[in-house]
Each structure stands twice: as structure tokens, then as C-alpha cells.
């Protein structure tokens, strides 16, 4: 199969991304709003929920103001942040205590890492035709694909799955961006033959090491306010497994033009969360 960076037909990728936004975006909206509506405690509940709401709104506005996402993507980011910030709040509304979800720190760390990695070596990536366009804001489908599983895992009470999904997202973006910026040899994960940097399913030593370190950082932030040991090792392994799974999908179904990058990213975070859940039970 010849080396190409994108084989998925544009129209197919468009409708796949739209379907992902409608399905997962709807689930995120319900997961964010339903607990507040069902378990509401009048003025005290409103007062307690107000701070997470403002925090989520500020996060969404910051992402939009930094030209890191479109308006629709910022809305999806609001839902993700509010699920993480507000879920424990609702259950504690009777006491009037404000308790933020411990994954908020990991979510902020993901944003910082991916923001920096995307801009790292932009000139070199642009010269190779690999850099994102300067006006290429993150679309709603990208936010849903990368953060949707983490938010939904938090919504159903799977903290390990949430952090594993966030760590896989950071690892995938950082490994890809750093690998493309630094350059060097890359190999197709299914056949181990040399391919050009940026090829779907291609892996490099520098990119892989950067991705693994990014996953480790996110797991560390995920354990700041929530005991993740010995679960932390399980979550880290799950995130790395998701990173490998992402490359496998890129080298197979994405290169063959069956699915677009958004679905690959979504499936990889789902795989990482599932592995964390299975290993955690063992």
C-alpha cells in the first residue's frame, strides 16, 4: 500500500464526524444536565452548582478565545468540563459543600500539553506539509472524539476509565505532534517498514517516548486528589494500550479509507477506558 497521509474520502469523513457529534454530543448534554434537573435542591443547589457552571463557561471561553476551537467545539468542551466539575457537586448540594471532580486537574493538563505540542516545531511541520492550518480550529467532532469517553466514564462513576481516556488522548496528540516536529525514522506498526513521518499508523521512537511521558503526566495529575495506587499503574498501562490501538487503527481501517480520524480517536479512548476497567477488576 503506498504511503499516503489521508485516504478517507472527505464526504465520508464529514458525515462520520457529524454522526459522532450528534450521538456522543447528545449523551454529553444529557449527562451534564440530567443530574442537576433530577437532584435539584432549590436555592442551595443552585448556589452550589453556580461555581462549576462558571468554571466550565470560563474554560470554554478560554479555549474559544485562544483560537483553539470553534464555537460548537467550545460548547462541547463546556459539557465535558461541567460533567467533571459538577457531578460530585450535585450529590453534596444538601450540605452546601462545593467539591470538584478530581479529574479537573487532569483535564486542564491535557489541554496544556496538547496546546503546547500542537504548536511545537510548527515551522518544521509546515515545511513538511504536516502542520495544522493557523486558522484550523478544533472542531466539535474532535472535542467529542478526544474527550467524550472520559466525560461519560466520569458520569457513570469510572474514575480509572476517565483518567485512562484522558491520558490516551494526551499521549496520542503529543506523540503525533512531537514525532512530526522532530522527524526521524518512522515505521508502520503493522509491517514495521519505513514510512514518512505523519503517515497514518506510523510510529517513531521520539514520538512514542513523548506520548508515553504525556500519559504518565496525566495519570500523575489524575492522582493528585484521588488515590490511584495501585490503580495508577493499571491506568497508565491502559493509556499506553490505547496509544498502540490508535496506531493499529490508523494503519488499517483509516489507511483503507473506512473510517476517519475522529472515529479512530474515539475508539482508542474507549479502548483505553475499557482496558482500565477490565484490568482494574482483576
Amino acid at each position: 500500500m503506498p504511503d499516503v497521509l489521508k485516504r478517507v474520502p472527505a464526504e465520508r469523513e464529514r458525515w462520520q464526524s457529524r454522526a459522532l457529534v450528534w450521538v456522543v454530543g447528545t449523551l454529553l448534554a444529557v449527562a451534564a444536565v440530567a443530574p442537576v434537573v433530577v437532584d435539584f435542591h432549590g436555592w442551595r443547589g443552585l448556589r452550589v452548582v453556580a461555581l462549576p457552571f462558571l468554571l466550565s463557561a470560563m474554560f470554554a471561553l478560554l479555549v474559544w478565545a485562544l483560537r483553539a476551537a470553534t464555537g460548537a467545539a467550545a460548547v462541547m468542551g463546556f459539557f465535558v468540563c461541567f460533567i467533571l466539575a459538577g457531578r460530585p457537586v450535585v450529590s453534596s448540594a444538601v450540605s452546601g459543600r462545593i467539591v470538584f471532580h478530581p479529574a479537573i486537574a487532569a483535564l486542564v493538563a491535557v489541554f496544556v500539553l496538547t496546546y503546547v505540542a500542537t504548536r511545537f516545531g510548527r515551522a518544521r511541520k509546515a515545511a513538511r506539509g504536516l502542520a495544522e492550518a493557523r486558522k484550523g480550529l478544533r472542531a466539535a467532532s474532535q472535542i467529542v472524539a478526544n474527550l467524550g469517553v472520559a466525560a461519560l466514564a466520569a458520569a457513570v462513576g469510572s474514575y480509572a476509565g476517565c483518567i485512562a481516556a484522558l491520558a490516551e488522548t494526551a499521549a496520542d496528540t503529543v506523540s503525533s505532534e512531537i514525532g512530526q516536529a522532530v522527524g526521524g525514522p518512522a515505521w508502520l506498526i503493522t509491517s514495521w517498514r519505513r514510512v514518512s513521518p505523519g503517515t497514518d499508523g506510523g510510529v517513531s521512537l521520539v514520538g512514542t517516548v513523548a506520548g508515553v511521558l504525556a500519559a504518565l503526566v496525566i495519570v500523575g495529575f489524575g492522582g493528585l486528589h484521588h488515590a490511584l495506587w495501585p490503580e495508577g499503574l493499571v491506568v497508565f498501562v491502559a493509556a499506553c494500550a490505547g496509544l498502540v490501538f490508535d496506531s493499529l487503527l490508523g494503519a488499517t481501517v483509516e489507511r483503507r479509507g473506512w473510517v476517519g480520524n475522529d472515529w479512530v480517536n474515539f475508539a482508542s479512548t474507549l479502548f483505553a477506558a475499557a482496558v482500565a476497567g477490565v484490568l482494574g477488576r482483576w
Side-chain angles (χ1 to χ4, degrees), residues 167-168 170-176 178 205-217 236 240 243:
E168 194 284 328
D172 177 33
T173 303
V174 170
S175 65
S176 176
I178 299 300
L205 178 60
V206 172
T208 301
V209 170
V212 169
L213 290 177
L216 189 61
V217 168
F236 175 68
C240 293
L243 179 62

Side-chain angles (χ1 to χ4, degrees), residues 24-37:
V24 181
T26 300
L27 291 176
L28 290 174
V30 171
V33 174
V36 178
V37 174

